Amino acid sequence: MGLLSAVPLLPLAPVRGVIWISERLVDAADKELHDPAVIRAQLCALNRALDGGEIDEEQFDREEERLLDLLERRSSSAPPPQREGRRS
């Protein structure tokens, strides 16, 4: 981008910065949602909560089924498509 084209677009820099940050947040959320290691860690924490008496058997079963479904869906499907970030 040349100097002459950058000057008129300078007021848009904060907007482009917000867009860039929001894209990074979406990428991080996708990784956390779809990463098998994160899901396994959540299962371990769930087991510790059950062992510690923080949750009851019914809560454990519901949450365990949800996490195992996520893990199964993740392992049986292809990785989520990579988002193409905007390049400015």
Side-chain angles (χ1 to χ4, degrees):
M1 183 181 298
L3 181 61
L4 292 177
S5 63
V7 171
L9 295 177
L10 194 57
L12 296 177
V15 174
R16 292 194 336 238
V18 169
I19 290 171
W20 182 84
I21 289 172
S22 57
E23 287 174 349
R24 300 296 81 76
L25 289 173
V26 168
D27 291 342
D30 282 344
K31 181 180 179 190
E32 185 171 327
L33 181 63
H34 298 292
D35 189 5
V38 172
I39 296 171
R40 286 189 201 101
Q42 290 173 341
L43 281 167
C44 289
L46 187 64
N47 280 317
R48 284 192 302 273
L50 179 65
D51 291 342
E54 299 171 25
I55 60 173
D56 62 10
E57 206 51 59
E58 185 180 319
Q59 289 173 311
F60 175 81
D61 290 339
R62 277 195 314 262
E63 189 64 17
E64 181 187 39
E65 185 165 337
R66 185 185 70 80
L67 290 170
L68 290 175
D69 285 345
L70 277 174
L71 192 59
E72 184 179 316
R73 232 181 301 145
R74 174 67 180 137
S75 64
S76 66
S77 67
Q82 292 294 324
R83 292 177 38 96
E84 291 185 25
R86 291 180 172 223
R87 301 284 183 219
S88 299

